[in-house]
Amino acid sequence: MAESGRIRVAKDKADLVKSLISSDGGNGPFQTFADVIVFAAALGVKYKKRVPFEEVSKREPAPIRLEVFAVSGYDLIIKLLGITETQNIQILSPNDEEFDKQRNEIFEEYANGGLEVLQGELRGAVDYTDRILLFLQHEKLNNKKEDEEFDLTRFLS
């Protein structure tokens, strides 16, 4: 079960999360662990991939305090996911530790699913930034094609 005051990272994804950070001489596209986790959670939601995990990373990255997410405004994403997933506005209750844990767990599981998507996309890549940009560009083009309808009127001139 999730801790109420922290967001955890699965142990098997810890190295990936660390490699996506630009600190310590790395060339990752993200500044903080929280940035990586929020991006991964967004991917998890997009691909409807919510993956529970058993083992939690105790070291780098250790469970991240919720205050780190709140400073960047990411706490809203955690809350929105909680409401969307449970369809229960009570999950926003600030005085109920069980709701806090449930919200965090939903967010963690989507982030874990998104990290699995990233793992697959980044396999064999040397520069993660370029690969992520290509991945996002590909997604954008695919979504644009799906949104367009075939219109015969463009042939009538």
Side-chain angles (χ1 to χ4, degrees), residues 79-92:
K79 291 173 182 174
L80 284 172
L81 273 176
I83 292 171
T84 304
E85 197 67 16
T86 63
Q87 299 294 309
N88 180 5
I89 195 78
Q90 295 298 318
I91 198 162
L92 296 179

Side-chain angles (χ1 to χ4, degrees), residues 6-145:
R6 298 183 180 270
I7 299 297
R8 304 166 308 155
V9 176
K11 187 175 182 179
D12 63 329
K13 310 291 186 326
D15 288 336
L16 173 63
V17 172
K18 286 190 293 190
S19 69
L20 292 168
I21 300 296
S22 62
S23 65
D24 297 331
N27 61 351
F30 300 99
Q31 296 294 315
T32 67
F33 291 131
D35 294 336
V36 174
I37 300 304
V38 168
F39 180 77
L43 277 179
V45 170
K46 166 140 178 53
Y47 287 96
K48 297 174 178 54
K49 192 166 177 103
R50 185 175 168 189
V51 179
F53 52 90
E54 298 289 322
E55 202 167 356
V56 176
S57 175
K58 301 282 189 228
R59 295 186 177 212
E60 195 80 8
I64 306 163
R65 290 186 341 270
L66 283 175
E67 291 82 25
V68 174
F69 291 89
V71 166
S72 299
Y74 296 151
D75 58 325
L76 295 174
I77 296 168
I78 297 170
K79 291 173 182 174
L80 284 172
L81 273 176
I83 292 171
T84 304
E85 197 67 16
T86 63
Q87 299 294 309
N88 180 5
I89 195 78
Q90 295 298 318
I91 198 162
L92 296 179
S93 175
N95 302 324
D96 191 329
E97 192 172 316
E98 282 306 309
F99 282 137
D100 286 344
K101 287 180 182 181
Q102 188 178 7
R103 271 195 321 264
N104 293 352
E105 184 175 339
I106 290 166
F107 179 73
E108 290 168 347
E109 289 176 356
Y110 274 117
N112 195 37
L115 287 169
E116 280 188 7
V117 170
L118 272 177
Q119 253 178 346
E121 290 298 323
L122 298 176
R123 190 169 293 125
V126 176
D127 186 347
Y128 286 170
T129 302
D130 283 346
R131 183 65 68 94
I132 289 173
L133 284 173
L134 287 171
F135 171 69
L136 292 174
Q137 189 174 32
H138 176 73
E139 286 297 313
K140 181 181 176 184
L141 290 174
N142 278 349
N143 285 340
K144 195 174 192 180
K145 288 178 185 173

